[in-house]
């Protein structure tokens, strides 16, 4: 099994979804630790601002791109490898969270979430593995979420993609270990970002994006497959999965107060896409 851990002298880091939230904080932290960090998102102005704020000694390299476009991601990887140097570390973080209410479901909300969180990750993962495989080493971390452990209110689309990413990474690890590529998953609890700000329920153990970045960096240096935090919350979520379903739903309803919340007013189907957040 591989024990490769990326260091700045071994090559660049690549962070997707770096225009805000965890991705932004992580890019700044990696640059402070000495990595040159290629950052990808659709919002060019936010990436340029991030580049200006890089604390050094590492620099920020702006690579605009849409993770839902596989050609964009192939281009981004080619630019990293052939213009800026070898890539040692990849953190696939881009994602969206669109709340789903069972009484007001829209196909577009599911499609957008799957396109960014699941297919977008695969679009980045494939070229990253190919480039690292050619050198015989590399490190890839996929940002999943504790929401992937089990169903949560409004998480029908978001949680489904995170559960799929966890399973995908578990399956790929067997072969990537043999290829010299360390694969890890990152399962945060609630992190204060623009996405979680849309939640209308209690978010226990909420931490800042900067705190999340610190814990991710620490986990990337470890030998663990899973990086999860804050453990007082994520371990509770793991334990809940051992409960019978009746107890699981009763306890989650009690913890979130969801059963007592009124049903939402259905919105016209034409407005569904207009409410979609932009992929970071």
């Amino acid at each position: 099994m591989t024990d490769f851990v990326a260091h700045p002298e071994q090559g660049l880091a690549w962070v997707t979804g770096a225009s805000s939230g965890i991705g932004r904080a992580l890019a700044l932290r990696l640059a402070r630790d000495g990595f040159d960090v290629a950052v990808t998102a659709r919002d060019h102005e936010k990436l340029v601002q991030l580049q200006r704020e890089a604390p050094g000694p590492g620099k920020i390299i702006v690579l605009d791109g849409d993770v839902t476009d596989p050609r964009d991601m192939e281009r981004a990887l080619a630019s990293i490898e052939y213009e800026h140097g070898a890539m040692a570390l990849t953190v696939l973080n881009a994602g969206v969270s669109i709340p789903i209410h069972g009484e007001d479901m829209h196909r577009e909300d599911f499609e957008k979430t799957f396109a960014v969180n699941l297919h977008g990750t695969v679009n980045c993962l494939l070229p990253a593995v190919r480039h690292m495989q050619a050198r015989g080493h590399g490190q890839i971390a996929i940002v999943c979420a504790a929401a992937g452990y089990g169903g949560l209110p409004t998480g029908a689309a978001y949680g489904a993609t995170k559960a799929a990413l966890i399973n995908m990474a578990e399956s790929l690890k067997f072969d990537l270990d043999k290829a010299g590529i360390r694969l890890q998953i990152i399962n945060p609890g609630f992190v204060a970002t623009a996405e979680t700000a849309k939640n209308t329920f209690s978010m226990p153990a909420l931490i800042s994006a900067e705190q999340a970045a610190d814990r991710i960096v620490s986990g990337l240096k470890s030998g663990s497959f899973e990086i999860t935090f804050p453990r007082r919350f994520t371990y509770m979520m793991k334990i809940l999965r051992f409960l019978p379903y009746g107890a699981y739903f009763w306890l989650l309803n009690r913890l979130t107060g969801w059963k007592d919340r009124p049903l939402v007013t259905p919105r016209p189907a034409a407005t569904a896409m207009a409410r979609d957040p932009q992929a970071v």
Side-chain angles (χ1 to χ4, degrees):
M1 296 181 69
T2 181
D3 58 358
F4 180 81
V5 176
H7 296 284
E9 62 271 16
Q10 295 167 313
L12 284 75
W14 180 36
V15 179
T16 66
S19 61
S20 63
I22 293 175
R24 189 181 196 282
L26 180 60
L28 290 172
R29 171 58 197 270
L30 290 171
R32 189 167 73 241
D33 286 354
F35 277 99
D36 287 344
V37 186
V39 293
T40 298
R42 296 194 304 181
D43 194 322
H44 176 74
E45 292 305 318
K46 287 185 178 180
L47 292 183
V48 170
Q49 181 60 36
L50 173 63
Q51 186 179 51
R52 295 192 188 106
E53 295 178 20
K59 64 178 182 289
I60 298 291
I61 301 165
V62 173
L63 293 173
D64 297 343
D66 182 348
V67 297
T68 66
D69 185 340
R71 292 171 297 182
D72 254 8
M73 296 304 99
E74 292 283 354
R75 176 191 57 78
L77 262 293
S79 177
I80 292 172
E81 292 281 331
Y82 303 125
E83 297 179 29
H84 303 287
M87 181 177 61
L89 171 66
T90 294
V91 181
L92 303 179
N93 165 75
V96 295
S97 177
I98 304 174
I100 302 292
H101 295 269
E103 70 276 25
D104 183 33
M105 291 188 288
H106 295 264
R107 181 183 302 276
E108 294 88 350
D109 292 340
F110 285 92
E111 291 176 344
K112 179 71 173 182
T113 306
F114 295 163
V116 177
N117 296 5
L118 185 54
H119 299 301
T121 297
V122 172
N123 290 341
C124 301
L125 180 67
L126 296 181
V129 167
R130 187 172 64 251
H131 283 271
M132 290 179 177
Q133 194 171 13
R135 292 192 302 277
H137 65 265
Q139 184 175 6
I140 299 173
I142 299 174
V143 177
C144 306
Y149 296 153
L152 295 173
T154 74
Y158 178 78
T161 62
K162 298 305 183 178
L165 291 176
I166 292 170
N167 188 288
M168 180 184 73
E170 290 171 348
S171 300
L172 291 173
K173 185 176 182 350
F174 295 101
D175 292 326
L176 294 185
D177 276 352
K178 294 187 293 184
I181 301 172
R182 166 166 288 185
L183 181 63
Q184 294 173 286
I185 55 175
I186 301 169
N187 286 327
F190 292 113
V191 179
T193 66
E195 296 295 294
T196 56
K198 298 193 296 288
N199 290 340
T200 58
F201 53 85
S202 175
M203 294 181 285
L206 182 72
I207 64 173
S208 69
E210 289 72 24
Q211 288 174 307
D214 288 342
R215 298 186 190 190
I216 290 172
V217 168
S218 177
L220 292 173
K221 297 174 182 176
S222 75
S224 299
F225 170 65
E226 182 186 33
I227 303 168
T228 184
F229 54 85
R231 292 185 178 181
R232 65 187 182 277
F233 173 75
T234 59
Y235 276 35
M236 179 187 71
M237 289 297 299
K238 287 175 179 282
I239 292 170
L240 286 177
R241 294 310 303 161
F242 291 100
L243 295 177
Y245 274 119
Y248 176 83
F249 292 124
W250 178 87
L251 186 57
L252 262 295
N253 265 315
R254 188 174 181 85
L255 290 173
T256 62
W258 199 256
K259 189 174 183 179
D260 298 324
R261 291 177 179 267
L263 296 175
V264 302
T265 301
R267 67 190 193 273
T271 67
M273 286 301 290
R275 295 178 69 234
D276 284 356
Q278 182 177 2
V280 297

